[in-house]
């Protein structure tokens, strides 16, 4: 796994773990989900509805929705605008994303 965090001159919050598709990812208090996933080398956050093309972080400021993931069962959550929380369960979003039980 690629590690992409700056190691020197940065003060981080408390270290904890989140899950991405069942895999453990390290995050720090104050980081967005996108920051934690990027630091872990994850580039695909969702797949397009019709052709399944991979998409990932693009604008990083909440405008493009390319970073839509499922967080604790809630689809269309922008990873770049959502803080990572200890134990949160993130899933790569397939297509438009549906709430559990939604047709
Ligand atoms: S990367 Fe554009 S909304 Fe998150």
């Amino acid at each position: 796994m690629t590690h992409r965090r700056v190691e020197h001159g940065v003060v981080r919050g408390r270290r904890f773990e989140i899950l991405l598709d069942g895999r453990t990812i390290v995050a720090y208090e104050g980081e967005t989900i996108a920051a934690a996933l990027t630091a872990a080398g994850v580039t695909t956050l969702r797949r397009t509805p019709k052709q399944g093309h991979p998409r990932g972080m693009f604008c990083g400021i909440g405008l493009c929705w390319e970073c839509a993931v499922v967080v604790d069962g809630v689809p269309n959550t922008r990873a770049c605008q959502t803080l990572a929380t200890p134990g949160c369960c993130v899933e790569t979003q397939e297509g438009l994303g549906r709430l559990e039980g939604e047709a």
Side-chain angles (χ1 to χ4, degrees), residues 3-83:
H3 181 79
R4 300 179 177 173
R5 280 203 173 83
V6 174
E7 293 297 329
H8 304 288
V10 177
V11 177
R12 292 194 168 87
R14 185 172 53 100
R15 181 186 193 275
F16 56 84
E17 295 176 343
I18 65 175
L19 291 175
L20 172 67
D21 298 331
R23 179 175 128 201
T24 300
I25 303 284
V26 171
Y28 291 86
E29 204 169 62
E31 273 187 345
T32 62
I33 289 171
L37 298 183
T38 299
V42 175
T43 55
T44 299
L45 301 180
R46 70 178 187 94
R47 293 197 175 270
T48 58
K50 292 183 181 162
Q51 298 181 327
H53 294 305
R55 293 289 189 259
M57 273 265 292
F58 183 65
C59 74
I61 57 173
L63 298 176
C64 72
W65 291 83
E66 293 292 2
C67 65
V69 291
V70 181
V71 178
D72 294 330
V74 179
N76 297 313
T77 302
R78 289 172 294 177
C80 74
Q81 299 296 296
T82 306
L83 290 176

